[in-house]
Amino acid sequence: MLNIVLFGPPGAGKGTQAEKLIEKYNLVHLSTGDILRAELKAETELGKEAKKFMEKGELVPDSVVIGMIVAKIDANPNAKGFIFDGFPRTTAQAEALDEVLNKKGTPISIMLALFVDDDELIKRLLLRGKDSGRADDQDQSIIENRIKVYNKDTAPVIDFYDDKNKYKAIDGVGSIDEIFFRLCEAIDSV
Ligand code: AMP
């Protein structure tokens, strides 16, 4: 089983690359951002609760996203592997994911962290906001808060995987195909 954490700040290209990787490696894509936006659109209780955090660029509480991801893993018993995109975003989430996957005997194979400088991230997100209509991509102060939250709460997750020798840094600047090639090289060397 190939279980990949695709990591990086908002706008690093995780979603774009995940779409290409699931096709090549026949994996299931689990994006907590996508799942939360679907809940929001369906106006579920979870969606209404999550909206309060998402519209400010804050993290949705760990208990909510951990419960969500565990349900999705359990709903895909025949998966050849998963790409976790936008999850884990805190060390507590990484610990919970580890526990669930270790119990199943299918631990994380590799954590691929995309690196892109802040100016480029802001440029990409504002552009995406114009195309996608995502409210949190249209307001520069919300974008800046998301990057701040990434640096404070999410970047420490790198140490969690580094300690387990599973962390690989990937240059996230270049063409989509160039970055895809770098990711595949890292995966194929696992
Ligand atoms: P994303 O699409 O990954 O940029 O996520 C959009 C928003 O959803 C984030 O700004 C958070 O408010 C929320 N979110 C997504 N994934 C998580 C997570 N793993 N933990 C907490 N909040 C999350």
Side-chain angles (χ1 to χ4, degrees), residues 151-166:
N151 287 324
K152 180 173 155 281
D153 297 322
T154 304
V157 173
I158 288 177
D159 295 333
F160 180 87
Y161 289 103
D162 196 18
D163 287 347
K164 297 178 161 50
N165 290 322
K166 290 185 176 173

Side-chain angles (χ1 to χ4, degrees), residues 16-49:
T16 304
Q17 295 297 335
E19 287 306 326
K20 291 173 73 72
L21 291 169
I22 53 166
E23 213 172 292
K24 174 162 176 170
Y25 294 97
N26 201 6
L27 305 171
V28 173
H29 182 196
L30 293 185
S31 155
T32 40
D34 286 351
I35 302 167
L36 287 166
R37 278 184 289 279
E39 296 279 345
L40 218 119
K41 205 170 155 208
E43 296 182 352
T44 62
E45 281 312 307
L46 193 155
K48 284 181 206 159
E49 177 62 18

Side-chain angles (χ1 to χ4, degrees), residues 8-11 14 31-37 50-62 64-66 68-69 85-90 93 125 128 134 136-137 142 146 149 154:
K14 301 186 293 296
S31 155
T32 40
D34 286 351
I35 302 167
L36 287 166
R37 278 184 289 279
K51 185 169 188 258
K52 297 180 211 157
F53 299 92
M54 293 168 80
E55 64 190 8
K56 287 186 275 184
E58 299 289 340
L59 293 182
V60 173
D62 285 338
V64 175
V65 281
I66 291 167
M68 241 171 50
I69 214 89
D85 161 6
F87 182 93
R89 253 179 163 96
T90 62
Q93 291 179 18
L125 288 168
R128 187 170 77 184
R134 260 181 72 169
D136 61 346
D137 282 344
I142 299 175
R146 285 158 67 204
V149 169
T154 304

